[in-house]
Amino acid sequence: MDPEAFLEMANQVTKLKMYPYFDIAHCTLCCLYVRDDLGTGSLPFSRKHPLANWLSCMLTIFAGGLLANFLLGEPILGALKNNQQLLLATAVWYVIFYSPFDVGYKVAKFLPIKVLLSAMKEVYRVKKISDGVTHAAKVFPNGYLSMILIGTIKGNGSGFLKIIERLMRGVWTPAAVEVMQPTFPTKASIAAALIFVMDKKTDLISAPHALVYFGICIFFVYFKLSSLLLGIHDPFVPFENLFCAIFLGGIWDSLAHTLAGKKGAAAEKGGEAVKNGNGKNKKD
């Protein structure tokens, strides 16, 4: 492909408007997550507790903005100030849970539709990460860690508020803390936020911003589709294992276990030799 045409395509991707189509994809997948998390009791719960169900879905949809505003010292409910987005999210929630014959949920779960929605949501995620880094840079111009943190939360805020979202449905799962078991979207959001910070605040990346943005979009979409179609859920795991083995004590722990095993084996052999010697003396 011609480099100029590729750059023009990248520029068009950076200018994509998220409302309404990408917002619909995001809201749909968030509501699907809540419904699937409820399991077989999702329909009875939605009929019996519609307010809790709606609050749970809204918290999942707007989690990134709510949590980022809290950390930046801005009005938390400012994430809900856009009435159009709130009405759109409510409409999607109603279709997923209350459409006749459950047709909305079945259509959204249809694999080709879900693949399309997932690809659109990943583009939406990259946009949120970029906006989060830019917003944090205005509040903390030299706070690189703050930029990465806000970008990550914007990219996967629902993961960090999962405990509160489930608590609204009467389920308490303290073990589901995102920092204890980070999911692939969180890890990828950290990596993307770091790249955006390097692109905006340093000279380490010489490529145009549009190409950086487009490359990150391709990365997110590719691995999301790989997860759906090929079962590749977390490509970071091999690198994490290698890093932990080298820098976080893995090699030394293995060496300590090996040495302890050899000492134990030597002690057992010595004990057996003593026993055999005592047995021979008794016979004599």
Side-chain angles (χ1 to χ4, degrees):
M1 181 182 287
D2 183 22
E4 293 184 0
F6 189 77
L7 182 59
E8 179 61 26
M9 182 188 300
N11 285 323
Q12 293 300 322
V13 171
T14 60
K15 297 176 183 177
L16 284 174
K17 294 183 179 180
M18 297 295 106
Y19 184 86
Y21 302 111
F22 290 89
D23 277 302
I24 290 175
H26 170 67
C27 295
T28 301
L29 290 177
C30 286
C31 291
L32 285 180
Y33 159 77
V34 172
R35 178 157 175 178
D36 291 341
D37 196 45
L38 284 166
T40 56
S42 59
L43 287 181
F45 181 88
S46 66
R47 271 57 172 176
K48 190 175 181 180
H49 306 286
L51 179 59
N53 188 28
W54 180 80
L55 287 173
S56 179
C57 289
M58 294 305 107
L59 183 61
T60 302
I61 293 170
F62 297 102
L66 293 169
L67 186 54
N69 286 357
F70 171 74
L71 293 176
L72 292 174
E74 299 178 354
I76 298 175
L77 295 181
L80 307 176
K81 66 182 179 181
N82 191 319
N83 293 326
Q84 289 183 331
Q85 288 183 337
L86 190 59
L87 288 173
L88 178 65
T90 302
V92 171
W93 162 78
Y94 186 85
V95 169
I96 294 298
F97 282 92
Y98 301 102
S99 57
F101 307 106
D102 212 16
V103 65
Y105 176 76
K106 293 175 181 176
V107 169
K109 290 289 286 185
F110 184 52
L111 184 59
I113 300 297
K114 190 173 183 180
V115 167
L116 176 61
L117 293 175
S118 298
M120 295 174 68
K121 178 177 170 61
E122 295 310 307
V123 176
Y124 183 89
R125 191 193 304 276
V126 175
K127 174 67 172 175
K128 288 297 183 182
I129 296 171
S130 177
D131 290 347
V133 170
T134 302
H135 189 182
K138 294 178 181 177
V139 181
F140 305 107
N142 297 317
Y144 294 169
L145 180 60
S146 300
M147 298 177 203
I148 295 172
L149 179 62
I150 297 300
T152 302
I153 289 172
K154 283 276 193 175
N156 191 35
S158 59
F160 291 95
L161 293 185
K162 187 187 302 180
I163 293 178
I164 300 176
E165 178 266 320
R166 287 179 175 173
L167 188 60
M168 285 188 172
R169 296 186 268 116
V171 179
W172 175 240
T173 55
V177 180
E178 186 69 16
V179 294
M180 290 181 62
Q181 297 177 337
T183 57
F184 172 71
T186 296
K187 300 174 188 176
S189 296
I190 293 173
L194 176 62
I195 293 173
F196 279 133
V197 170
M198 293 169 61
D199 179 44
K200 293 177 183 293
K201 292 293 183 177
T202 70
D203 297 326
L204 297 175
I205 298 178
S206 59
H209 172 71
L211 286 180
V212 175
Y213 185 97
F214 189 47
I216 294 175
C217 285
I218 292 174
F219 170 82
F220 273 84
V221 172
Y222 174 78
F223 281 106
K224 183 62 179 181
L225 298 186
S226 298
S227 174
L228 287 174
L229 302 176
L230 303 177
I232 302 174
H233 296 295
D234 193 346
F236 287 105
V237 169
F239 302 101
E240 290 174 8
N241 293 338
L242 180 62
F243 181 84
C244 292
I246 296 175
F247 298 105
L248 300 181
I251 293 177
W252 307 115
D253 291 342
S254 299
L255 183 62
H257 287 310
T258 302
L259 293 176
K262 288 183 178 179
K263 289 181 180 179
E268 289 181 0
K269 288 182 179 179
E272 291 179 358
V274 171
K275 288 182 180 179
N276 293 335
N278 293 335
K280 288 181 180 179
N281 292 334
K282 289 180 180 180
K283 289 180 180 179
D284 295 338

